[in-house]
Amino acid sequence: MPPPREHHQPHEEDDDDTAGVVKLISTEGFEFVVDKKAAMVSNTLRNMLTSPGGFSETRQGEVRFPEIPSHILEKICQYFYWSLHYSSGKETAEFQIEPEITLELMMAANYLDT
Amino acid sequence: MMNGGGGGGQKKRAPRIEPFRHRVETDPKFFDKSWRKLHDAIREIYNHNASGLSFEELYRTAYNMVLNKFAPQLYEKLTENMKEHLEDMRTCIDAAQGGLFLEELQRKWNDHNKALTMIRDILMYMDRTYIPTNKKTPVFDHGLELWRDTIVRSPTIQGRLSDTLLELIHSERTGEVINRGLMRTTTKMLMDLGLSVYQDDFERPFLEVSASFYSGESQQFIECCACGEYLKQAERRLSEESERVSQYLDVKTHEKITAVVVNEMLANHMQRLILMENSGLVNMLVEDRYEDLTRMYTLFNHVPDGLTTIRSVMASHIKDTGKSLVTDPERLKDPVDFVQRLLNMKDKYDNIINVSFSNDKSFLNALNSSFEHFINLNNRSPEFISLFVDDKLRKGVKEANEEDLETVLDKVMMLFRYLQEKDLFEKYYKQHLAKRLLSGRAASDDSERSMLVKLKTECGYQFTSKLEGMFTDLKTSEDTTQGFYASTSSELLADAPTISVQILTTGSWPTQTCNTCNLPPEIVSVSEKFRAYYLGTHNGRRLTWQTNMGHADIKATFGNGSKHELNVSTYQMCVLMLFNSSDVLTYREIEQSTAIPAADLKRCLQSLALVKGKQVLRKEPMSRDIADDDSFFVNDKFTSKLFKVKIGTVAAQKETDPEKLETRQRVEEDRKPQIEAAIVRIMKSRRVLDHNSIMMEVTKQLQPRFMPNPVVIKKRIESLIEREFLERDKTDRKMYRYLA
């Protein structure tokens, strides 16, 4: 199993709501820092980040997914950016999905409503 | 973690289904445990304690419950749970005293909304999947319904809420200040719960209460207020309600509350307000109270038949005022003033309609038909209008400005249009125009022609063709007179008085029978020379001197040495010239010498002897009446500041009764051939027509000139039958046929 190709460097914890990043943490503890805008491609994440009432995730700016493995979470982050990039433009490039992760990916996608 | 060989191989492998990462729940307590988690979380949420909670964990719990087919139970438990919390809230709200009731309600509502949002977000997966397929209400809406049923529609709260809101509104209406923000959030809450909740729980009772409030207020005000004051109050209330709606009610209520106020304050009292004595519509019209009138128009525009009522009251008022104006014997003494008053009245109402009734066409029409109605009640209106124009077109008129004159004439044309007997007007206009032209009193050729153009535009070429002929005659006469003087040798004309001749074509000028009088010999001589000259160039014509229409300038030297030039009528000249050969003359002698008709002669002598400042002759005795033996002398003490003295202008005056009768007879005579021509025209094109239709058609055709009398039409038909233009149908006596 190839190690995750990209390992986004963890940034300093920004408790800044307006700044654009949020940290997504996989089962194994890998931390992926992505723009909030990218994260909100997932409806679940969007709800989570915009829900009133100050859940712990919004206050700390990070979300733990005990049930999503790193390689899946990584793929999902890639998907976020792919989606943002090609949603506006006229060109589309194919989003590559390795067949062996398809099922897990789909389940995560279902979970995240994305 | 993925089992089995990772390896570096990139070769494709058949997809393998991995077992679930998490433990597969066969735990019978799975549901209870999961629910417990959610239950506690919800409690924390309702207690404003959510910060410690993890969204992801709760979301995942619900997600798993749904995946494991526990959605229905979850939904049920959720419902129960929310109900419990809501019941707690209700207790708090019930406990709130007096003014705090709405505040507490609002606070709890906000809490509930926020909690509901968070709950919905956590349970988003269930909302997405279970609910649509099972046709359940989504979480958020469900939460609102629970609020509605548990709180708003609860027996303890429902009535209290409605009453509180209505009480506050009532206070505000009676002048107190209330918390509008609170009102707004409360009504907004009702709207959020659904339009029917807003309407049933608030709007309907609101409208009912408002109706009785305004019913009471209108009773109170109408007893003690004048119309203008009352309308101001109504207007005030309307804008108050408008503001109320925009501040804290739903926009759809605006129309309904306006209708209530209009109904209670205006529609129910419409007749009483408009007809109120001393302050109602009539009073406002009389006093030109523009502001009040505008207000009345704007307000009653909302009421069905409101404007119709105003319009008809105005119309009958105009008719009444107009009628009393035209039938008042005092007014009839001065025709110019009479017409001026009509013009003033028209101006007044034009202004009112323009300023206060926004130039409403239907009102203008009502004004026009009212005027038409009463102007024709007085059959001297055509004559008077012509006299008015005559006055304006004479020299020395007040409107020095040509533009002003134009404006006045245009307004007069408006009155002219109302006349039903336009042919009568034509006759008078011709008479007055002739007098103006012949006495040299017409002020401006341009103005005269401008008036003619207006008449032509209104009535067509035929109306004005003869009038234009009059102008042409004068021009031609000028040329002819010049030609006479140019061609006749000066010796023949030495010592002869200078004459200026106006040759009038008989058809164009108003006919007046004239017995020629005896002219002074000097005049006879030169006028005969002229006649010879004229007939030399115009063979086959006949000239008759109209001695009743001319005028003369005489140089006079009086006994006291004063010299003056007197401008007199032809008759007056004849009389004065007699005194060149006698110092004193009696009336009888003058009558014999001049052969002037008695009535004219008496008038003539009166103007020479009895008008202050113009007493060229002395009369003995100094009485007004002239007896046969009265004597006349030249007044040697005559003085005047001016060198040129005008005696007895031949001004147009309103006719005496016999004259009036004569004119009318002539007009009636003239109408007969016009009626006949119309009948023939109609029958020629229709061939066969029944009696009633002929009457209608004839009236329609002649209406622009005059209203034909049905009796006269019938007579004309008989006459045409006699002369074999028409015949009666043999079988149907009511049908007529045209005979070619």
Side-chain angles (χ1 to χ4, degrees):
Chain A
M1 158 71 209
R5 223 155 296 153
E6 288 160 53
H7 188 176
H8 299 270
Q9 294 300 320
H11 287 186
E12 299 304 317
E13 305 290 303
D14 269 316
D15 233 344
D16 197 349
D17 275 321
T18 57
V21 294
V22 63
K23 193 190 289 183
L24 307 176
I25 307 176
S26 72
T27 317
E28 294 89 359
F30 275 114
E31 301 175 346
F32 298 87
V33 179
V34 299
D35 293 311
K36 270 196 187 160
K37 202 169 158 199
M40 301 226 250
V41 173
S42 148
N43 288 329
T44 305
L45 286 180
R46 182 189 305 129
N47 273 337
M48 186 187 304
L49 296 172
T50 56
S51 187
F55 288 105
S56 60
E57 284 85 354
T58 29
R59 281 186 314 108
Q60 291 168 6
E62 62 180 39
V63 189
R64 294 181 182 280
F65 296 105
E67 308 217 340
I68 302 185
S70 311
H71 64 287
I72 298 294
L73 191 53
E74 179 185 9
K75 201 69 188 177
I76 287 189
C77 290
Q78 286 172 4
Y79 175 76
F80 288 157
Y81 280 100
W82 176 90
S83 172
L84 276 190
H85 181 64
Y86 288 105
S87 61
S88 50
K90 297 144 198 158
E91 39 162 329
T92 33
E94 227 190 292
F95 185 70
Q96 302 277 6
I97 302 181
E98 296 81 21
E100 54 273 17
I101 65 166
T102 309
L103 181 59
E104 283 178 283
L105 194 58
M106 273 177 47
M107 283 171 54
N110 186 35
Y111 178 75
L112 291 174
D113 190 10
T114 185
Chain B
M1 224 51 248
M2 303 206 15
N3 298 335
Q10 298 283 333
K11 61 175 173 42
K12 265 209 172 152
R13 286 198 299 225
R16 289 177 57 183
I17 310 272
E18 297 291 334
F20 287 144
R21 253 199 60 73
H22 52 271
R23 276 185 314 139
V24 177
E25 300 299 339
T26 49
D27 182 352
K29 291 235 174 53
F30 167 69
F31 178 79
D32 290 329
K33 283 203 199 131
S34 306
W35 170 246
R36 179 77 0 210
K37 232 186 240 171
L38 290 176
H39 170 274
D40 290 344
I42 291 178
R43 189 190 58 222
E44 295 311 313
I45 288 176
Y46 270 103
N47 286 340
H48 311 110
N49 238 347
S51 48
L53 302 173
S54 159
F55 184 99
E56 195 275 335
E57 189 189 344
L58 298 169
Y59 179 84
R60 189 161 30 88
T61 312
Y63 175 81
N64 285 328
M65 287 171 90
V66 175
L67 279 187
N68 287 297
K69 311 226 184 299
F70 283 116
Q73 292 92 321
L74 173 57
Y75 195 81
E76 255 183 64
K77 281 284 187 195
L78 174 68
T79 308
E80 261 178 52
N81 185 254
M82 281 212 286
K83 265 203 196 140
E84 277 171 31
H85 286 287
L86 287 174
E87 275 158 12
D88 287 340
M89 285 182 160
R90 182 178 64 204
T91 317
C92 288
I93 296 174
D94 277 339
Q97 297 289 341
L100 297 173
F101 171 68
L102 280 186
E103 277 178 40
E104 188 64 19
L105 181 65
Q106 188 195 334
R107 202 173 303 133
K108 292 291 183 247
W109 165 248
N110 285 342
D111 288 348
H112 177 66
N113 259 307
K114 188 164 164 204
L116 199 50
T117 314
M118 290 164 75
I119 295 173
R120 179 210 48 205
D121 288 342
I122 298 174
L123 302 182
M124 182 66 75
Y125 190 72
M126 179 175 74
D127 246 0
R128 256 203 309 139
T129 51
Y130 167 69
I131 280 175
T133 45
N134 290 278
K135 306 230 186 343
K136 291 265 186 209
T137 323
V139 171
F140 193 84
D141 296 333
H142 188 55
L144 291 184
E145 277 174 9
L146 288 176
W147 170 272
R148 179 194 66 199
D149 296 334
T150 319
I151 309 263
V152 171
R153 291 269 167 93
S154 95
T156 50
I157 294 188
Q158 184 172 30
R160 190 174 173 194
L161 175 60
S162 174
D163 290 343
T164 311
L165 290 175
L166 293 178
E167 266 169 43
L168 286 172
I169 291 179
H170 182 84
S171 310
E172 199 178 48
R173 280 183 178 151
T174 52
E176 290 180 37
V177 176
I178 63 173
N179 183 343
R180 285 181 156 186
L182 204 45
M183 298 293 288
R184 185 173 32 244
T185 48
T186 312
T187 54
K188 185 147 187 326
M189 173 189 81
L190 292 173
M191 279 300 287
D192 286 345
L193 293 175
L195 185 59
S196 63
V197 177
Y198 174 80
Q199 281 177 344
D200 294 340
D201 283 38
F202 171 73
E203 198 185 49
R204 197 174 312 121
F206 168 69
L207 291 173
E208 278 173 23
V209 162
S210 303
S212 60
F213 175 80
Y214 282 114
S215 167
E217 175 154 301
S218 68
Q219 284 295 1
Q220 186 194 340
F221 272 78
I222 207 163
E223 294 300 329
C224 67
C225 273
C227 180
E229 278 307 307
Y230 182 93
L231 291 181
K232 272 199 192 120
Q233 178 68 7
E235 192 181 56
R236 222 175 287 142
R237 284 299 190 191
L238 276 173
S239 72
E240 188 191 307
E241 292 301 327
S242 236
E243 206 223 343
R244 174 165 297 118
V245 170
S246 71
Q247 287 290 310
Y248 58 80
L249 299 181
D250 180 73
V251 70
K252 290 191 208 62
T253 309
H254 183 255
E255 211 182 290
K256 299 177 193 171
I257 184 64
T258 307
V260 164
V261 179
V262 164
N263 195 35
E264 294 298 329
M265 291 205 84
L266 297 172
N268 286 350
H269 301 283
M270 180 164 77
Q271 292 293 333
R272 187 168 169 182
L273 284 168
I274 292 181
L275 300 174
M276 204 178 264
E277 269 196 52
N278 296 333
S279 64
L281 176 63
V282 170
N283 175 273
M284 291 179 192
L285 289 173
V286 166
E287 292 183 8
D288 287 323
R289 301 229 292 270
Y290 290 125
E291 206 192 295
D292 285 337
L293 287 166
T294 315
R295 186 172 298 118
M296 183 182 269
Y297 181 84
T298 322
L299 289 177
F300 279 101
N301 202 359
H302 298 298
V303 179
D305 288 335
L307 293 186
T308 322
T309 314
I310 294 182
R311 191 174 60 225
S312 72
V313 170
M314 178 189 85
S316 33
H317 172 70
I318 293 178
K319 278 191 201 152
D320 289 341
T321 332
K323 182 170 169 195
S324 56
L325 180 63
V326 305
T327 50
D328 180 0
E330 279 298 310
R331 296 287 136 250
L332 298 180
K333 289 184 184 166
D334 184 347
V336 176
D337 176 69
F338 174 89
V339 175
Q340 187 60 51
R341 278 168 194 269
L342 289 179
L343 289 175
N344 293 347
M345 193 168 155
K346 180 87 183 18
D347 272 345
K348 175 193 168 92
Y349 283 100
D350 277 339
N351 277 339
I352 288 180
I353 295 179
N354 185 23
V355 171
S356 293
F357 298 159
S358 52
N359 250 342
D360 187 323
K361 277 225 168 59
S362 64
F363 278 75
L364 288 172
N365 288 343
L367 174 63
N368 284 339
S369 60
S370 305
F371 260 76
E372 195 178 320
H373 170 85
F374 72 73
I375 274 190
N376 291 299
L377 289 178
N378 181 348
N379 62 4
R380 299 194 79 166
S381 295
E383 188 195 342
F384 285 6
I385 295 181
S386 178
L387 284 171
F388 182 83
V389 178
D390 180 79
D391 182 72
K392 289 285 169 249
L393 290 175
R394 291 181 156 268
K395 276 209 184 97
V397 109
K398 292 131 217 160
E399 274 93 357
N401 189 346
E402 245 197 59
E403 264 178 45
D404 289 342
L405 184 56
E406 274 297 298
T407 320
V408 172
L409 292 180
D410 280 331
K411 288 192 180 164
V412 174
M413 284 308 289
M414 283 296 305
L415 293 182
F416 171 78
R417 271 183 215 117
Y418 298 137
L419 290 175
Q420 275 172 359
E421 301 198 287
K422 295 189 170 73
D423 58 344
L424 190 56
F425 174 88
E426 190 193 353
K427 213 166 210 68
Y428 282 112
Y429 193 77
K430 218 197 231 179
Q431 282 176 20
H432 301 152
L433 177 62
K435 286 203 183 118
R436 276 203 302 281
L437 291 176
L438 293 178
S439 64
R441 292 268 181 267
S444 141
D445 209 40
D446 285 339
S447 312
E448 293 281 355
R449 288 205 180 271
S450 155
M451 189 64 196
L452 273 195
V453 166
K454 292 191 215 292
L455 287 171
K456 183 151 63 169
T457 318
E458 190 63 32
C459 301
Y461 163 72
Q462 278 152 335
F463 197 91
T464 51
S465 61
K466 297 223 179 89
L467 302 174
E468 282 175 3
M470 288 158 79
F471 284 92
T472 320
D473 278 350
L474 292 189
K475 189 78 183 46
T476 319
S477 304
E478 239 181 72
D479 296 337
T480 313
T481 313
Q482 272 177 5
F484 168 67
Y485 276 106
S487 62
T488 314
S489 69
S490 38
E491 305 124 34
L492 285 174
L493 295 175
D495 299 331
T498 318
I499 54 168
S500 150
V501 184
Q502 281 119 11
I503 301 159
L504 314 177
T505 312
T506 308
S508 304
W509 296 75
T511 47
Q512 288 175 17
T513 48
C514 173
N515 310 320
T516 47
C517 62
N518 296 334
L519 296 166
E522 306 94 319
I523 305 292
V524 174
S525 138
V526 70
S527 50
E528 286 312 313
K529 286 195 180 68
F530 181 87
R531 185 201 294 274
Y533 165 78
Y534 184 79
L535 293 179
T537 40
H538 299 91
N539 215 346
R541 292 190 185 178
R542 200 171 53 164
L543 288 181
T544 317
W545 297 112
Q546 302 283 301
T547 48
N548 58 342
M549 286 164 107
H551 58 271
D553 293 324
I554 307 184
K555 287 203 173 64
T557 314
F558 292 86
N560 60 2
S562 51
K563 290 193 179 159
H564 291 281
E565 190 176 291
L566 306 173
N567 177 279
V568 295
S569 71
T570 307
Y571 286 159
Q572 286 164 340
M573 171 196 68
C574 296
V575 168
L576 288 176
M577 294 297 277
L578 293 177
F579 287 90
N580 272 345
S581 30
S582 325
D583 283 336
V584 58
L585 292 163
T586 63
Y587 172 78
R588 201 178 295 127
E589 287 169 335
I590 299 178
E591 196 185 7
Q592 269 179 348
S593 309
T594 60
I596 297 175
D600 293 324
L601 182 56
K602 287 202 175 141
R603 261 209 304 266
C604 164
L605 286 169
Q606 277 169 345
S607 59
L608 284 171
L610 298 170
V611 178
K612 240 192 152 117
K614 311 245 171 116
Q615 280 155 317
V616 178
L617 297 177
R618 249 184 327 118
K619 174 177 177 287
E620 277 172 19
M622 280 289 286
S623 54
R624 282 209 70 89
D625 295 328
I626 301 182
D628 282 357
D629 290 324
D630 289 354
S631 329
F632 290 88
F633 308 77
V634 175
N635 179 11
D636 283 314
K637 295 210 191 69
F638 176 79
T639 52
S640 169
K641 287 197 201 123
L642 306 163
F643 175 65
K644 290 193 185 173
V645 183
K646 241 185 285 191
I647 313 273
T649 52
V650 194
Q653 286 176 344
K654 71 177 165 70
E655 291 183 320
T656 59
D657 285 336
E659 287 175 333
K660 200 174 61 169
L661 209 52
E662 207 196 315
T663 311
R664 176 153 291 278
Q665 270 171 356
R666 269 200 239 128
V667 168
E668 293 293 340
E669 278 303 311
D670 283 343
R671 285 179 180 173
K672 288 185 187 161
Q674 292 179 58
I675 297 179
E676 287 189 357
I679 297 174
V680 171
R681 245 194 328 265
I682 293 167
M683 290 305 296
K684 193 163 177 189
S685 73
R686 307 289 212 93
R687 297 281 146 182
V688 184
L689 207 55
D690 66 291
H691 183 84
N692 285 338
S693 303
I694 292 193
M695 295 296 246
M696 245 173 43
E697 287 292 324
V698 169
T699 311
K700 205 162 78 177
Q701 273 203 20
L702 294 172
Q703 214 168 21
R705 272 183 73 77
F706 62 91
M707 291 297 278
N709 184 335
V711 172
V712 177
I713 300 179
K714 195 157 192 297
K715 273 224 177 94
R716 294 295 102 219
I717 295 179
E718 301 291 330
S719 163
L720 286 170
I721 292 178
E722 262 175 49
R723 301 193 318 238
E724 296 189 0
F725 282 92
L726 304 177
E727 70 171 0
R728 274 219 174 75
D729 186 273
K730 291 168 189 72
T731 43
D732 182 3
R733 296 281 301 169
K734 286 247 158 206
M735 296 285 282
Y736 302 100
R737 187 170 296 126
Y738 178 72
L739 295 173

